[in-house]
Amino acid sequence: MAAAVLDIPCLLDTELDSANQAADNGAAPTIFMGMDAGGAKHHGIFSFPLDAVGAIPITRITAVQILLFVDTVLGTPGTHVQRLMAKPPTWTETANWTTYNGVDAWAAAGGDESATGGNITSGIIITAQALQSLQILASVLPGFTAARAAGQTRFDLLIRRSNESGSSTGFTVRSSEHATVATRPWMRILHTFPSAPMVGGFQQTRIRRA
């Protein structure tokens, strides 16, 4: 079997800020995840379109990654966690700390995260002005599979600092609104497919965002 890579652009993303709970950050070019200088919590939420995965059988998907371009690093970022969003409502980029669309409340402030997930930065040095490839965890991947099987159109993730205490720690990534398309968030699907033998390397496909 030949190996291939499918890159899918982020559909929606935004930053949830516990200090400015009504703030609409959907049009911002960057997203901060961590604790700011005043000790406020900041979460990043990301949604990727599942229809773009097409008909690739789950048995042929070998890994799923999230590609984030880090703009700046604040202090020592520490451990960040990735959480599958718990039965997410149809949140929009007008979501804020308390609501998923600027009006209707999350079940829990800061985004409806589930207990499914874990550390995504173990062994990774978060570096400014660099592309970070964050592996979708084995504990989260079944959520990706289940969402596809259920006919859902989106795969939603929340990323935050693991220990939400202290201040001045975290990192800022470029959002789907950033002017440089190549540095926006992407979901990378590594998969295999039956084909004639290839001579080395991967076949890569990048889906353009409208």
Side-chain angles (χ1 to χ4, degrees):
M1 288 194 177
V5 174
L6 173 65
D7 285 342
I8 300 170
C10 186
L11 178 67
L12 300 168
D13 55 15
T14 193
E15 177 185 329
L16 311 180
D17 179 354
S18 70
N20 301 286
Q21 297 191 359
D24 173 1
N25 298 310
T30 59
I31 294 171
F32 175 65
M33 295 169 288
M35 311 294 292
D36 66 22
K41 305 170 186 177
H42 294 256
H43 297 175
I45 55 175
F46 304 84
S47 184
F48 296 90
L50 285 175
D51 56 349
V53 181
I56 302 172
I58 192 63
T59 54
R60 291 190 185 144
I61 293 177
T62 57
V64 181
Q65 301 168 347
I66 301 298
L67 307 182
L68 299 174
F69 188 91
V70 177
D71 243 3
T72 59
V73 172
L74 180 62
T76 302
T79 300
H80 279 63
V81 295
Q82 162 195 109
R83 299 289 186 190
L84 182 68
M85 296 186 75
K87 297 182 180 177
T90 307
W91 61 268
T92 69
E93 287 192 336
T94 59
N96 55 44
W97 187 261
T98 57
T99 74
Y100 61 83
N101 57 8
V103 177
D104 301 302
W106 296 105
D112 295 344
E113 63 175 272
S114 73
T116 301
N119 180 12
I120 55 171
T121 56
S122 178
I124 296 176
I125 298 174
I126 302 297
T127 306
Q129 294 298 299
L131 184 68
Q132 302 282 175
S133 176
L134 304 178
Q135 195 82 7
I136 294 292
L137 302 173
S139 60
V140 174
L141 197 55
F144 171 84
T145 305
R148 290 188 70 200
Q152 295 179 21
T153 59
R154 289 163 48 173
F155 179 57
D156 294 349
L157 287 173
L158 181 148
I159 298 177
R160 63 169 176 81
R161 197 169 190 275
S162 176
N163 178 11
E164 293 190 301
S165 63
S167 62
S168 300
T169 175
F171 59 97
T172 299
V173 301
R174 294 183 179 178
S175 78
S176 60
E177 306 298 327
H178 198 276
T180 306
V181 175
T183 60
R184 294 173 181 175
W186 295 79
M187 178 168 67
R188 172 164 288 179
I189 309 292
L190 285 76
H191 65 100
T192 59
F193 61 96
S195 71
M198 291 178 63
V199 180
F202 287 88
Q203 174 180 321
Q204 181 166 346
T205 302
R206 176 156 280 203
I207 295 174
R208 293 183 180 275
R209 186 184 185 212

